[in-house]
Amino acid sequence: MWIGIDDTDSPEGMCTTYLGAVLARRLAEAGMQIRSLRLIRLNPNVIWKTRGNAAVAIEAEGDPDLAFAIGSDLIDELADLACDRTNPGLVICGGTRPPASFAEQAITGFCTIDEAIAACEGVSARYAGWKNGRGLIGATAAIAADLRDSTSEILVYREGASCGTKRSVDPITLRLAEEVTFPHTWDTVDRMNRTIVCVPHTPDPVLFGIRGENPVWVSLARHLIRSETPELEAIFETNQGTDAHLIWGFIGSLEEGRSYLVSGTVSSSPVTGIGGHVSLLIRDGEYSLTCMAYEPTKGFRDVIRALAPGDRVVVCGSYKDSSLNLEKILIITAEPISFWDAPICPSCGKKMTSAGADKGYKCRLCSMRMRDPVIRRRDRMIAPGWYEVPPSARRHLARPLCRGAPAILNDVVRDISDPINVNQQK
Ligand code: ATP
């Protein structure tokens, strides 16, 4: 059977992944066999999310009625039901899961509670919603998700009494874990910006989480880390780091709240605005799109600033408030810039200067004159290839470049003779 849960936390505490890990432990104590734990990230742009829009699914063998009773009791016990915005959902189905298309819609777009109920009833799933039952959307999507590409995360949870206090995790061991296991694990620390990424600052039960290719790598990294004594830990299979939220889009027909890959040509020089946010205008035919690299993306903004009109790019990110928030970018072409310049005097080798409007150029030393300027080429500060935001600014679903460039782009980059550069930040 598959068990899905969502929407159990609030900004003041709890975390659906923790509730999922505790539920797996209770089901096992009741004699059920746990086959897998899944952490499914849904559309990062939904307004109802508490933090990272996560939902959890458990694959188990056992009595569905008993599992439903244990799951319901646990939600009553642990979910932050006092919070207005906490509306849990619990779904349990047998062999047939709700259609994968429902999960795809929840990851790349928006779903309604009625659509979730219809998907559950279509496969005769047991379901229950608390309060307005919005969590049924995530709970259904979590069990419906088809993980064509997946990664792993080991989540380590604090003792209940410690929640809300300062977390104690040895930063030296975090750096060591990154050093030893990167690129098979990622986003433990942000070396360039000297920040720890894997330890949250919110008052939830998560002590730290290590993301990586598979359970072996995340376990290896985890065992290098020293910290306060945890209460519980669990390894999840997840769609984090897979770009599952991205769909192809075309400038002029992007929808608010969805995340896209969009190709276009830079149409004006990038501009750094108030707060250090950088905006970039790209064009496709008659349509333009503003792309934003916000201040938290740190050094990534230098890549955007180095772009120039005429550069061909593919941009990836969420379309919100009529602009695309950049997560990564493929620079397809960045040709040297051609410009007119004063010629060099053939007689004395000095650079000539303008002799006045429409009067050509004149050498200030020997007075030689020449009619035409010369064309020069300025090499670029940026090379074609992929560039991404640093780990500290990365979205859960965004595929880090250490996993390679998105396969979905093969068609676009076929015309590039050189292999694509992957400019990953370690
Ligand atoms: P936690 O990680 O602890 O679960 P969260 O950040 O994931 O917190 P939730 O508290 O789960 O956020 O709130 C997200 C709510 O939005 C849930 O009720 C979920 O069912 C709903 N939801 C998620 N994705 C979509 C979507 N694509 N369309 C509509 N509703 C969605």
Side-chain angles (χ1 to χ4, degrees):
M1 67 185 152
W2 287 86
I3 303 156
I5 46 171
D6 194 19
D7 207 341
T8 62
D9 67 352
S10 75
E12 280 71 49
M14 193 37 56
C15 168
T16 301
T17 69
Y18 173 73
L19 206 140
V22 175
L23 178 56
R25 186 168 65 184
R26 293 211 181 156
L27 296 176
E29 284 164 2
M32 300 188 200
Q33 194 191 347
I34 306 300
R35 289 190 171 276
S36 65
L37 268 173
R38 284 181 165 193
L39 160 52
I40 305 298
R41 297 281 175 182
L42 305 171
N43 183 350
N45 306 308
V46 306
I47 54 168
W48 305 283
K49 70 176 183 177
T50 311
R51 283 179 279 269
N53 205 7
V56 165
I58 301 170
E59 189 184 3
E61 268 179 39
D63 173 9
D65 289 326
L66 179 59
F68 200 83
I70 295 173
S72 300
D73 287 349
L74 191 63
I75 289 176
D76 287 335
E77 180 188 328
L78 291 184
D80 191 354
L81 293 167
C83 173
D84 276 359
R85 292 167 57 91
T86 302
N87 299 287
L90 170 68
V91 176
I92 299 193
C93 68
T96 313
R97 293 191 275 155
S101 55
F102 180 82
E104 215 163 299
Q105 189 183 336
I107 294 165
T108 63
F110 295 89
C111 304
T112 63
I113 300 171
D114 286 346
E115 285 170 331
I117 290 173
C120 289
E121 291 184 345
V123 294
S124 306
R126 294 162 178 77
Y127 64 89
W130 280 249
K131 296 159 68 184
N132 75 16
R134 191 182 312 284
L136 283 171
I137 297 170
T140 307
I143 58 178
D146 175 11
L147 284 181
R148 271 161 298 183
D149 183 16
S150 69
T151 63
S152 291
E153 177 160 10
I154 184 163
L155 277 158
V156 178
Y157 299 102
R158 315 184 75 186
E159 302 264 10
S162 319
C163 289
T165 61
K166 194 171 180 308
R167 291 168 171 87
S168 170
V169 186
D170 180 355
I172 295 168
T173 60
L174 291 173
R175 276 184 224 112
L176 175 72
E178 167 92 4
E179 185 78 45
V180 171
T181 59
F182 182 89
H184 306 288
T185 70
W186 50 85
D187 294 357
T188 301
V189 296
D190 183 338
R191 291 186 188 194
M192 204 91 95
N193 299 302
R194 296 168 175 273
T195 4
I196 288 165
V197 181
C198 69
V199 180
H201 301 287
T202 42
D204 57 76
V206 175
L207 181 58
F208 62 87
I210 303 294
R211 296 170 181 199
E213 260 170 34
N214 57 41
V216 175
W217 280 107
V218 296
S219 300
L220 176 61
R222 186 266 168 274
H223 285 106
L224 294 169
I225 296 166
R226 282 199 309 268
S227 70
E228 66 189 51
T229 309
E231 179 212 315
L232 178 66
E233 41 200 275
I235 298 181
F236 292 84
E237 187 185 9
T238 172
N239 63 349
Q240 289 171 171
T242 65
D243 278 347
H245 59 318
L246 299 181
I247 52 173
W248 273 109
F250 297 94
I251 303 177
S253 60
L254 305 182
E255 291 171 36
E256 277 289 316
R258 305 191 81 180
S259 304
Y260 292 99
L261 299 114
V262 182
S263 75
T265 303
V266 175
S267 56
S268 60
S269 296
V271 175
T272 302
I274 297 165
H277 311 308
V278 177
S279 65
L280 172 77
L281 204 62
I282 66 170
R283 176 172 280 279
D284 183 7
E286 59 186 293
Y287 298 106
S288 292
L289 170 67
T290 301
C291 304
M292 295 300 302
Y294 286 102
E295 190 280 333
T297 64
K298 305 291 178 198
F300 178 71
R301 292 171 301 162
D302 295 334
V303 173
I304 305 306
R305 287 190 190 103
L307 291 166
D311 292 345
R312 283 173 54 217
V313 294
V314 174
V315 292
C316 303
S318 292
Y319 187 63
K320 276 182 90 177
D321 302 328
S322 305
S323 66
L324 192 121
N325 297 348
L326 291 167
E327 293 171 9
K328 58 184 164 237
I329 187 167
L330 169 63
I331 300 174
I332 300 175
T333 61
E335 300 293 337
I337 295 172
S338 301
F339 60 99
W340 299 108
D341 198 10
I344 302 294
C345 174
S347 149
C348 51
K350 294 282 176 207
K351 191 168 183 181
M352 297 175 130
T353 53
S354 171
D358 290 332
K359 289 189 179 148
Y361 296 88
K362 184 178 172 184
C363 178
R364 296 268 169 226
L365 285 181
C366 68
S367 300
M368 179 178 273
R369 286 180 172 267
M370 286 182 77
R371 171 98 223 119
D372 296 322
V374 288
I375 297 174
R376 292 196 203 290
R377 283 153 68 88
R378 189 187 309 129
D379 280 341
R380 302 292 300 280
M381 304 294 286
I382 193 97
W386 277 103
Y387 297 85
E388 64 184 349
V389 302
S392 53
R394 197 190 327 273
R395 289 206 131 153
H396 299 292
L397 278 164
R399 177 173 157 135
L401 291 179
C402 64
R403 297 197 68 222
I408 189 173
L409 274 164
N410 288 346
D411 288 348
V412 177
V413 298
R414 233 187 337 232
D415 55 332
I416 299 176
S417 49
D418 291 334
I420 289 294
N421 245 338
V422 170
N423 302 283
Q424 63 203 25
Q425 285 189 333
K426 224 183 144 183

